[in-house]
Amino acid sequence: MYERLRVYEGRAAASAGVGKDLVNEPMIRHWCEAVGDTNPAYAGPGAIAPPTMLQAWTMGGLSGHSDRSGAYDKLFALLDGAGYTSVVATDCEQEYLRPLRPGDRITFDAVIESVSERKTTRLGTGYFVTTRMDVRAAGEPAGTHRFRILKYTPAAVRRGVSPGGTRGVKGGGRSLRPRPVINRDNAGFWQGVAEHKLLIQRCGECETQRFPWLPGCNECGCQEWDTVEASGEGTVFSHVVMHHPPFPAFGASDDAGPYAVALIELAEGVRMVSNVVGVPYDKVRTGMPVRLEFLRTDPELELPVFRGSEG
């Protein structure tokens, strides 16, 4: 199978693609509002687009792509036909060569850069496929976007193991929630949670508060910081209700939900994603006052959540 797949390495995934829209101020504004980025470089005269929007200008939207190559479709048809029908994005890498500005016309080419040998992961067994997109703005090289996915056959679901790959509680009981990824940039946050403190980073130079935790300040670039303990007061800024896939670990009982996931605006001005508890999922509303509490989901994990009130 691997020998059949690797013949597609180096073949075009898309040729002479054209972005559906020029780089434009409304999309830049929506992006910045969504991620809370107030960098002045992205607004006003002479504004540039946030570099991390590189892929946004090449996306096909709900109508999809019309520039996929025959080789790309054949590769995925081969994987699907062999039973590797599930897909998950694993990571991406971007390189920025020049700023993008409103009015730039985006064009691109993409290549199937590599197909891995068969790998076995907790999700299942399959192949990692990496594509590289070379992006141009007004005909000039603007950046490179590498995108890697896993096409796989899901692992067999065992007793006490959820489809998401989480283990059951020893001796039976409910499934466990996925473990948070803890690294050197956010370890202090999780240490605070263990002490029932919700800690927000504060820049040591301009004193801008930020969340989630980052190694440097978005406003001034300073890498020095300290922390502020949140009061715990907040409101629901926006929310969604998760109906599918069912995941017992997130439900109020073993019925797997539905459950509400909200973007909480803290009194300190930053926002974070969390669950709203204490009210039915269909009673969560934008603007609802909430209060921080800590929920022990299993013997090894405690998480910050927010309790709402229908009143």
Side-chain angles (χ1 to χ4, degrees), residues 123-145:
L123 288 176
T125 298
Y127 297 85
F128 290 92
V129 179
T130 303
T131 55
R132 187 192 76 242
M133 180 178 290
D134 297 312
V135 180
R136 297 178 296 277
E140 301 177 358
T144 300
H145 175 77

Side-chain angles (χ1 to χ4, degrees), residues 23-37:
V23 177
N24 62 83
E25 293 178 355
M27 285 180 67
I28 294 172
R29 175 170 52 82
H30 289 311
W31 175 283
C32 291
E33 288 181 355
V35 302
D37 194 336

Side-chain angles (χ1 to χ4, degrees), residues 78-154:
L78 179 59
L79 287 162
D80 289 342
Y84 303 102
T85 53
S86 296
V87 61
V88 62
T90 61
D91 60 286
C92 69
E93 303 171 10
Q94 294 184 338
E95 180 183 10
Y96 312 117
L97 303 178
R98 90 144 169 88
L100 301 180
R101 298 181 174 85
D104 281 341
R105 169 66 70 187
I106 299 301
T107 56
F108 56 90
D109 295 295
V111 64
I112 302 167
E113 190 169 68
S114 66
V115 182
S116 75
E117 296 185 15
R118 190 171 67 171
K119 305 289 186 180
T120 298
T121 72
R122 289 188 65 184
L123 288 176
T125 298
Y127 297 85
F128 290 92
V129 179
T130 303
T131 55
R132 187 192 76 242
M133 180 178 290
D134 297 312
V135 180
R136 297 178 296 277
E140 301 177 358
T144 300
H145 175 77
R146 281 184 175 84
F147 192 67
R148 187 172 295 110
I149 64 171
L150 173 65
K151 284 283 286 179
Y152 67 100
T153 299

Side-chain angles (χ1 to χ4, degrees), residues 122-123 155-169 172-176 246-249:
R122 289 188 65 184
L123 288 176
V157 178
R158 303 187 306 276
R159 182 184 179 95
V161 178
S162 75
T166 55
R167 300 174 290 108
V169 177
R174 299 182 61 197
S175 299
L176 303 186
F247 201 156

